[in-house]
Amino acid sequence: MTDLLPVGFEDTPKNSPILIAGPCSAETEEQVLSTARELSSYGVKLFRAGIWKPRTKPGGFEGVGSEGLQWLRKVKDETGMKVATEVANKHHVEEALDAGIDLIWIGARTSANPFAMQEIADTLAERNSDVHVLVKNPVNPDLELWIGAIQRLYNAGIRHLGAIHRGFSTYGKHLYRNLPQWHIPIELRRRLPQLPIICDPSHIGGRRELVAPISQQAYDMGFDGLIIESHCDPDCAWSDKAQQITPEVLNFVVNSLVTRDQHYTTENLTLLRQQIDQVDNELLEILNKRMRVCREIGQYKKEHGMTVLQTGRYDDIMQSRVKLATEMGMSADFMRTVLSSIHEESVRQQLEIFNRR
Ligand code: PEP
Ligand code: MN
């Protein structure tokens, strides 16, 4: 994929980050136009709005459909911004191209589906279109599936190609709506160094206050741009209201970000070090989670008059983990040291619970 062209259009100065902004969904003509006018007044050049919305469960707002294409047309004519929307099948692609949409993105539920991806790629090939296409990561953390989706488009002749990192679905409660798992887009960069990667802090964070810190992290890691959900009246948005910010806040956030001059390097060592940083963060999070569970066990033992130390259990843990570690290629000694340190800290934390009145 060495002949990829930049995504971002002539209006985006060379090397400056791409910014795509607009509401999660087009709701009404007034909402689309007033959001667009405000964004345009702040200098935004690429406007997004979903008109076909893939919803996890039936019953949610599924988008206004084709009617919204006319509103995007108006945005284009009135403000001069380029317009972007999500497509998920052949009909969407055809209608979007007919309506003069400049950039299409493939959503996370669609990029996870090779049949849908092939259908979209074939339709684009038939139309011989030079539309810009961005592929969101699949909902599940599967880099090969993400690359496969991108390859299908590339094989169909699409050259204005990019990827969007929107985080990965997970079960249970977390700080993020979709876990960033930064090492995955970093590995994508290593595998396809020519491919622009844009970060979607809105869908990663799921909350307004996380848009700025996640955007900064993305800049720090050398992402090529951001796609941020912005709505003229976020509290009344018909979808994803918790994560949408007003154009004014968006302008503030974007202007507060520190951009790094040094562009993303393809040097393997830098990328690998970033992966190490990420993995260490994950390791800390996992350790923290383990300690939390240990404290809960401590509470249970206290309430049931049990002792903190249950040596049988410790021996079982040691044996099974050391066996697993050696199967993975780590030394038994190393694993014993790690486990005994973890155990020591777990006991310390449980004792704290015991000593609490
Ligand atoms: C969106 O961008 O509004 C969207 C539906 O995103 P995702 O596919 O990342 O969930
Ligand atoms: Mn959304």
Side-chain angles (χ1 to χ4, degrees), residues 117-134:
M117 283 312 305
Q118 195 55 51
E119 179 184 301
I120 291 168
D122 291 344
T123 313
L124 287 166
E126 269 163 36
R127 296 282 297 244
N128 199 15
S129 164
D130 69 346
V131 70
H132 293 227
V133 186
L134 295 173

Side-chain angles (χ1 to χ4, degrees), residues 165 182 189 197-201 204 211-227 257-258 260 264 274:
H165 170 228
W182 295 102
R189 169 57 46 93
I197 308 180
I198 290 168
C199 178
D200 176 346
I204 292 177
V211 171
I214 297 170
S215 300
Q216 186 62 61
Q217 245 178 311
Y219 270 13
D220 293 347
M221 288 198 236
F223 276 61
D224 300 280
L226 300 167
I227 176 166
L257 295 173
V258 181
R260 317 267 164 207
Y264 211 109
Q274 281 167 345

Side-chain angles (χ1 to χ4, degrees), residues 318-331:
M318 201 47 118
Q319 260 185 22
S320 62
R321 302 330 185 237
V322 168
K323 180 168 178 285
L324 207 61
T326 49
E327 283 165 12
M328 290 171 162
M330 287 175 274
S331 86

Side-chain angles (χ1 to χ4, degrees), residues 22-53:
C24 175
S25 308
E27 299 161 4
T28 65
E29 186 172 332
E30 297 68 49
Q31 168 252 3
V32 167
L33 282 164
S34 71
T35 309
R37 284 181 195 125
E38 232 188 305
L39 287 170
S40 171
S41 78
Y42 289 121
V44 174
K45 301 279 190 265
L46 292 167
F47 181 78
R48 65 150 282 159
I51 58 176
W52 297 289
K53 301 300 298 175

Side-chain angles (χ1 to χ4, degrees), residues 192-266:
L192 301 176
Q194 316 294 327
L195 186 76
I197 308 180
I198 290 168
C199 178
D200 176 346
S202 311
H203 288 91
I204 292 177
R207 295 196 274 137
R208 286 170 207 164
E209 62 273 26
L210 290 180
V211 171
I214 297 170
S215 300
Q216 186 62 61
Q217 245 178 311
Y219 270 13
D220 293 347
M221 288 198 236
F223 276 61
D224 300 280
L226 300 167
I227 176 166
I228 300 180
E229 286 190 341
S230 176
H231 190 289
C232 54
D233 186 4
D235 287 336
C236 296
W238 297 2
S239 60
D240 285 354
K241 70 177 178 186
Q243 69 194 34
Q244 302 208 59
I245 54 178
T246 61
E248 193 185 356
V249 171
L250 176 113
N251 183 49
F252 176 77
V253 166
V254 169
N255 285 315
S256 318
L257 295 173
V258 181
T259 47
R260 317 267 164 207
D261 253 0
Q262 171 205 9
H263 214 64
Y264 211 109
T265 166
T266 53

